[in-house]
Amino acid sequence: MDLQTHKDHILENGFTVINNIFSDKELEKIDEVLKNIDASNENFRKSEDLFAIRQFLKELPEIKDLILNANMNAIIHEIFGEKYMAVKSIYFDKPEKSNWYVAYHQDLTISVDKKIEIAGFGPWTTKKNQFAVQPPLPILENIYTIRIHLDDTDENNGALKVILKSHAKDIYRPETIDWNVETEEICKVERGGAMIMKPLILHGSNRTTNGKKRRVIHIEFSDMELPGELQWSERLN
């Protein structure tokens, strides 16, 4: 893996795709843990279009060492930096018949442990005692997101589409996209590979049309400490 090339691609375009991070044997072990999930847990969201687990690494601690294998740790250290830690994790399972469509957006919030008034932080949302807030821009610009794919994913089963270089344009409202100047790219990822992106890149996904499921583990990383008494709610060194 030429990680410097991938690092350059992220800095310039806002994302990169690295395949073959996990072996077949490692993927089988991950599948095994996911098969035995208790879906009745109240932190898990279940509908016919989507099954999701928030605070994924906290909810399934036995999966952490399977996910953070040697290849993944090398990627985190070489591309992000030595002090990066996981600060948010979600598991998405979009079933074969899912018609789940996601409009273009940026990821503008972080998960924190409490709600307190701090200059530059807001607006806030609270769901089931979980707090999310939009932080100042430098905190968002510092985050890297890894999306690990447990199924082959392309334009026919909801692969992410991105607008190249949009991560470098601060807060970018989707309704102001100028399609005369912007370039869209579909990010195909193989089972056992990952898409790495900056949360400020405009991204979305189309509905599944080929009847194939798409399972993704989404993990966000930062090396910043939050100000005052505020802490990352899912911090995992």
Side-chain angles (χ1 to χ4, degrees), residues 216-235:
V216 173
I217 298 167
H218 169 119
I219 310 175
E220 296 172 19
F221 294 83
S222 174
D223 66 351
M224 282 185 156
E225 297 296 343
L226 298 176
E229 293 173 26
L230 208 56
Q231 298 286 341
W232 301 99
S233 65
E234 298 177 54
R235 178 187 184 134

Side-chain angles (χ1 to χ4, degrees), residues 17-59:
V17 172
I18 306 178
N19 286 311
N20 303 311
I21 296 172
F22 296 90
S23 67
D24 288 342
K25 198 167 186 180
E26 287 171 319
L27 288 165
E28 279 167 26
K29 286 182 178 169
I30 292 168
D31 284 345
E32 195 57 38
V33 174
L34 293 172
K35 261 191 218 125
N36 294 315
I37 288 170
D38 171 13
S40 65
N41 184 311
E42 63 167 22
N43 263 347
F44 302 175
R45 172 181 172 186
K46 201 167 174 53
S47 71
E48 52 191 52
D49 273 335
L50 177 71
F51 175 64
I53 301 175
R54 298 191 176 282
Q55 303 205 11
F56 178 66
L57 294 177
K58 268 190 176 177
E59 292 289 348

Side-chain angles (χ1 to χ4, degrees), residues 20 53 95 101 183 195:
N20 303 311
I53 301 175
Y101 160 85
T183 307
M195 175 189 175

Side-chain angles (χ1 to χ4, degrees), residues 131-228:
F131 304 97
V133 64
Q134 183 169 327
L137 205 58
I139 292 175
L140 291 173
E141 289 172 337
N142 171 263
I143 292 172
Y144 287 91
T145 300
I146 297 182
R147 295 170 55 88
I148 299 161
H149 285 248
L150 303 179
D151 303 292
D152 289 331
T153 310
D154 61 20
E155 66 278 7
N156 300 310
N157 64 329
L160 272 198
K161 49 186 185 177
V162 300
I163 293 179
L164 294 181
K165 306 181 193 291
S166 55
H167 68 300
K169 298 183 178 180
D170 300 340
I171 305 296
Y172 190 157
R173 298 294 170 204
E175 61 273 15
T176 67
I177 295 170
D178 180 355
W179 289 110
N180 295 314
V181 298
E182 299 294 14
T183 307
E184 178 179 277
E185 186 164 326
I186 304 275
C187 304
K188 299 180 188 181
V189 188
E190 295 168 12
R191 170 171 160 82
M195 175 189 175
I196 302 173
M197 66 179 211
K198 301 298 285 177
L200 289 174
I201 194 169
L202 278 162
H203 59 284
S205 62
N206 295 331
R207 293 183 172 86
T208 298
T209 56
N210 65 359
K212 290 186 178 171
K213 63 181 174 179
R214 175 165 76 102
R215 295 169 301 149
V216 173
I217 298 167
H218 169 119
I219 310 175
E220 296 172 19
F221 294 83
S222 174
D223 66 351
M224 282 185 156
E225 297 296 343
L226 298 176

Side-chain angles (χ1 to χ4, degrees), residues 75-131:
I75 287 166
I76 293 164
H77 289 143
E78 298 290 321
I79 296 181
F80 306 173
E82 284 297 319
K83 296 194 170 73
Y84 269 77
M85 57 205 167
V87 294
K88 183 177 184 177
S89 58
I90 311 171
Y91 168 68
F92 296 104
D93 178 352
K94 297 185 181 178
E96 295 86 334
K97 305 240 179 324
S98 171
N99 254 338
W100 192 265
Y101 160 85
V102 181
Y104 266 115
H105 67 286
Q106 296 172 300
D107 292 340
L108 295 176
T109 64
I110 58 172
S111 294
V112 294
D113 63 337
K114 62 177 93 59
K115 181 176 179 179
I116 46 178
E117 291 305 317
I118 295 189
F121 284 75
W124 290 79
T125 56
T126 309
K127 275 186 209 155
K128 290 185 181 167
N129 228 15
Q130 293 181 21
F131 304 97

